[in-house]
């Protein structure tokens, strides 16, 4: 997390004007860091817990206390701009935990301290510079597959470490999911200040940014870190084979013009992502359908839906965003829903970012970091706590747990209020499974759209297509002009359709039985030396932004690559014992989660019912597990 630069000429009136609109829970730890005065962490300055996802700008404090905090903060910030150093620039340990609690008005577990110290820039991860060692091994190189968020972050840290690498991307430009998904209404459903790298902040124009701005952020990362020279775009990786005779990987690629190119690599890092290959259902009559068929993840430029009869298959995140965005353009819209989702209110979904907040980010030290921490707490820790099933729930008169049941009551009340007593729509949209059994969605006008007279929600799937007619599984028939598939991705089939063969020709897809991916820490697997996965099996976080997980994985992988150079290692290969033990514990923990319970259908589980996408660990726990690689977990070989 970067910090502002002092400006000695900054006037008190300017600071006062901005602090009049500052968020008090964010400002209090800033005030302590600047002054070192512990009274700001005690009564009467303790803020109350934030209700829901609200900004909670006043912190629940009386007006006279708010005024006292703001006045003291003005003095401290003016003094900092005049050259006074912060009293506590890098809080750690118990003190940092106290500051976290002061920012959210709730107890915070000690386990968060290492992660938050890193994310807020108090103890940032800095890749070890091994460029001199790399120069002594001219054959040592890394191939990164995929230039989405994970692949680019890996590129940034590999470059900082001085390790030779190339990033291969099948699309014409970097961006991954955010290059491919350009359907109407596409935007993040995690606040942009959290859905971005901790080491590369940005002043976003919206709280939940749209696709184009996110893709622009990706390009800004490429430009800022000089990654263009390492990117090979328009190139698809077809296979990755381990060559036992050389102890290296053979990476076979296909250029846009069809030319095949083979790359030799010491290390391969896959960053293909969880949401990369669209799932296209094989509906009867699809090939003979006389209308237009589009998938949300392959939206054709210039698609015109004005006045057309449209059917949308699916009601997940993409379907919700897309359907609301185009509803007023089409003449008729039929939405086919297999199962409803829980939908949460969020008053900031379409909010423009506040220029004053940007000023505070740019002129008040530590403010951006504490703002980000509060988002992390609200969107990650709070929701994750509702996922475990209380084993004594039934005896307590609960369905899942006290917290999960409370979420259910809250979301149900919101749904009923939005549908104005329309019992038919309430029955169709109210889930029967508990909250967080599927991905929680944010209301973007979904319920309002469903009430429109030209919109029809069917609780059915597609039976077949007949000419320009869609026949649903409930017997309903509609003439349509456009069929929009919001049918998700091949999330359970990690790295599909990439062919990966390790030692003795072992096929990774066969070892994973197609949709049963397993890896140690979600990152590496026995039989596949010098191969690392980003966003691999069981690394989807239980809540919040995946980028926190991505940064933890990249730290682990880049540290291992640096160790290979510093220890003069030829190969590192995960041992079977830690691999088996980790996955045994992981499965036991996942089985305790609400999304693994009977009657809950989601993309998290494979065809055998095993959870293969999600991590059951709290984000801070996973970050601790991946803090640094332990060579005892690996069979290693030295160079000859």
């Amino acid at each position: 997390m970067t910090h502002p630069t002092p400006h000695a000429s900054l006037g008190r009136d300017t600071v006062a004007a901005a602090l009049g609109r500052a968020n008090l829970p964010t400002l209090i730890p800033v005030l302590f860091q600047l002054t070192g005065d512990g009274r700001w962490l005690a009564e009467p300055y303790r803020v109350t817990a934030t209700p829901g996802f609200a900004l909670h700008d006043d912190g629940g404090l009386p007006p006279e206390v708010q005024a006292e905090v703001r006045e003291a903060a003005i003095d401290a910030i003016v003094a900092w701009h005049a050259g006074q150093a912060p009293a506590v620039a890098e809080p750690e340990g118990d003190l940092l935990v106290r500051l976290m609690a002061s920012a959210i008005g709730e107890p915070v577990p000690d386990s968060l301290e290492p992660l938050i110290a890193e994310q807020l820039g108090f103890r940032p991860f800095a890749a070890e510079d091994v460029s001199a060692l790399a120069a002594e091994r001219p054959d040592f190189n890394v191939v990164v597959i995929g230039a989405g968020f994970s692949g680019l972050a890996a590129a940034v840290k590999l470059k900082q470490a001085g390790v030779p690498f190339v990033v291969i991307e099948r699309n014409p430009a970097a961006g991954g999911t955010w290059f491919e998904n350009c359907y109407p209404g596409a935007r993040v459903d995690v606040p942009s200040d959290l859905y971005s790298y901790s080491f590369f902040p940005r002043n976003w124009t919206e709280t939940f940014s749209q696709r184009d701005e996110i893709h622009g952020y990706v390009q800004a990362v490429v430009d800022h870190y000089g990654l263009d020279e390492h990117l090979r775009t328009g190139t698809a990786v077809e296979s990755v084979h381990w060559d036992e005779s050389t102890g290296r990987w053979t990476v076979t690629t296909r250029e846009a013009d069809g030319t095949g190119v083979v790359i030799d690599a010491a290390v391969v890092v896959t960053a293909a992502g969880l949401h990369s290959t669209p799932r296209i259902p094989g509906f009867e009559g699809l090939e003979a359908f006389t209308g237009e068929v589009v998938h949300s993840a392959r939206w054709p430029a210039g698609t015109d839906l004005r006045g057309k009869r449209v059917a949308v298959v699916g009601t997940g995140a993409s379907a919700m965003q897309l359907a609301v965005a185009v509803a007023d353009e089409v003449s008729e819209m039929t939405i086919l829903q297999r199962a409803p989702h829980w939908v949460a209110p969020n008053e900031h979904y379409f909010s423009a970012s506040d220029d004053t907040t940007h000023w505070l980010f740019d002129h008040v030290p530590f403010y951006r970091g504490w703002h980000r921490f509060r988002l992390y707490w609200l969107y990650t820790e709070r929701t994750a706590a509702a996922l475990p099933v209380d084993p004594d729930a039934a005896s307590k008169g609960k369905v899942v747990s006290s917290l999960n049941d409370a979420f259910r009551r809250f979301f149900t009340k919101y749904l009923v209020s939005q549908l104005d007593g329309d019992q038919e729509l309430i029955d169709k949209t109210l889930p029967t499974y508990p909250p967080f059994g599927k991905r929680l969605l944010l209301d973007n006008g979904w319920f309002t759209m469903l009430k429109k007279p030209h919109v029809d929600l069917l609780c059915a799937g597609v039976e077949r297509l007949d000419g320009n007619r869609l026949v649903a599984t409930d017997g309903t028939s509609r003439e349509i002009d456009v069929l929009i598939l919001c049918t998700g991705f091949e999330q359970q089939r990690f790295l599909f359709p990439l062919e990966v063969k390790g030692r003795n020709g072992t096929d990774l897809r066969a070892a994973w039985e197609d949709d049963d991916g397993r890896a140690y820490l979600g990152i590496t697997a026995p039989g596949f030396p010098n191969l690392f996965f980003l966003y691999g099996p069981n690394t989807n976080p239980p809540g919040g932004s995946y980028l926190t997980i991505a940064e933890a994985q990249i730290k682990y992988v880049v540290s291992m690559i640096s160790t290979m150079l510093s220890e003069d290692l030829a190969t590192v290969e995960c041992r079977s014992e830690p691999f088996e033990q980790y996955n045994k514990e992981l499965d036991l923990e996942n089985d305790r989660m609400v999304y693994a319970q009977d009657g809950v259908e989601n993309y998290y589980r494979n065809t055998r019912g095993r959870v293969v996408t999600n991590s059951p660990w709290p984000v801070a726990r996973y970050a601790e597990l991946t803090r640094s690689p332990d060579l005892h977990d690996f069979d290693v070989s030295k160079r000859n």
Side-chain angles (χ1 to χ4, degrees), residues 529-548:
N530 299 5
L531 177 65
F532 303 103
F533 316 121
L534 301 178
Y535 216 161
N538 294 111
T539 57
N540 205 38
S545 170
Y546 166 71
L547 297 190
T548 313

Side-chain angles (χ1 to χ4, degrees), residues 135-177:
E136 296 174 5
R137 292 178 59 174
D139 63 336
F140 191 92
N141 65 316
V142 178
V143 168
V144 179
I145 302 174
F149 268 100
S150 292
L152 291 180
V156 169
K157 297 305 178 183
L158 286 169
K159 185 166 185 175
Q160 289 176 347
V163 176
F165 70 95
V166 62
V167 181
I168 302 176
E169 169 57 50
R170 67 186 180 189
N171 291 314
T177 293

Side-chain angles (χ1 to χ4, degrees), residues 308-379:
K308 294 183 179 180
R309 300 164 299 181
V310 171
V312 178
V313 182
T315 53
S318 297
M320 174 180 281
Q321 292 180 339
L322 195 157
V324 171
V326 305
D328 291 337
E329 298 179 21
V330 305
S331 61
E332 297 176 13
M333 178 182 288
T334 302
I335 301 173
L336 293 99
Q337 170 185 271
R338 184 175 63 178
H341 284 252
W342 286 102
V343 178
N346 194 304
E347 62 183 315
H348 313 298
Y349 191 81
F350 291 112
S351 297
S353 295
D354 185 349
D355 288 343
T356 299
T357 300
H358 291 168
W359 190 95
L360 294 166
F361 287 167
D362 295 338
H363 295 87
V364 177
F366 316 118
Y367 190 91
R368 186 192 295 271
W370 286 113
H371 169 81
R372 181 182 170 94
F373 167 70
R374 280 178 48 77
L375 293 176
Y376 168 83
W377 180 265
L378 297 177
Y379 286 84

Side-chain angles (χ1 to χ4, degrees), residues 30 32 508 564 586:
V30 170
F32 172 82
L508 185 64
M564 292 180 69
L586 180 144

Side-chain angles (χ1 to χ4, degrees), residues 243-282:
D243 187 332
E244 203 71 54
S245 64
T246 62
R248 297 172 65 81
W249 288 101
T250 299
V251 181
T252 302
T253 70
R254 186 72 56 187
E255 304 292 323
D257 63 3
T259 305
V261 178
V262 175
I263 303 172
D264 181 65
V267 176
V268 171
V269 178
T270 69
L274 190 66
H275 313 290
S276 59
T277 303
R279 179 182 289 117
I280 309 295

Side-chain angles (χ1 to χ4, degrees), residues 391-398:
D392 300 319
S395 64
K396 297 176 181 177
K398 308 296 181 184

Side-chain angles (χ1 to χ4, degrees), residues 47 109 134 143-144 218 342 345 347 365 367 380 429 462 467 494 522 613 616 621 633 636:
V47 303
V143 168
V144 179
V218 168
W342 286 102
E347 62 183 315
Y367 190 91
T380 305
T429 56
V462 177
F494 290 95
T613 63
R621 170 62 175 155
D633 295 332
V636 303

